[in-house]
Amino acid sequence: MPLYSIVCTDAPNTLEQRLAARPQHLARLQALQAEGRLVLAGPNPVDHADLSQGFTGSLLVLDFPDRASVDAWLADEPYAQAGVYASVVVSPFRQVLP
């Protein structure tokens, strides 16, 4: 299946919403991982040494059959529903390495 990079930028002052929605967010990613469809996922911290400063966004590389499937999955994404993301950019992705 095709890969997609998903670059999410957090809205200002949404750390509380992010933390509240995190268990549901992780559960959905773990389900994709169990299906072999998660290449990588993780947040962009403001400061690696001090996560209490929050995050600027997230990066996901996921395997979906088409863009419509990505959009449908994102529509139910807990961070998006909680208002954490100010913007989301989805692009086709081709993994070269590893």
Side-chain angles (χ1 to χ4, degrees):
M1 286 188 197
L3 298 178
Y4 293 88
S5 68
I6 304 166
V7 178
C8 308
T9 302
D10 285 13
N13 304 311
T14 56
L15 180 57
E16 188 174 310
Q17 293 96 307
R18 178 183 267 272
L19 295 176
R22 189 169 189 262
Q24 296 85 3
H25 169 77
L26 289 178
R28 293 183 84 233
L29 291 174
Q30 290 164 342
L32 287 179
Q33 183 177 23
E35 296 169 6
R37 298 172 46 203
L38 183 138
V39 176
L40 67 86
N44 303 107
V46 170
D47 182 338
H48 280 291
D50 183 7
L51 297 182
S52 70
Q53 290 188 37
F55 301 89
T56 60
S58 299
L59 170 64
L60 310 164
V61 177
L62 306 176
D63 186 342
F64 277 97
D66 52 47
R67 174 61 192 262
S69 299
V70 176
D71 292 340
W73 187 85
L74 285 170
D76 291 330
E77 168 45 44
Y79 285 173
Q81 290 182 339
V84 173
Y85 295 145
S87 67
V88 176
V89 176
V90 178
S91 301
F93 181 80
R94 181 173 295 269
Q95 184 177 1
V96 175
L97 296 171

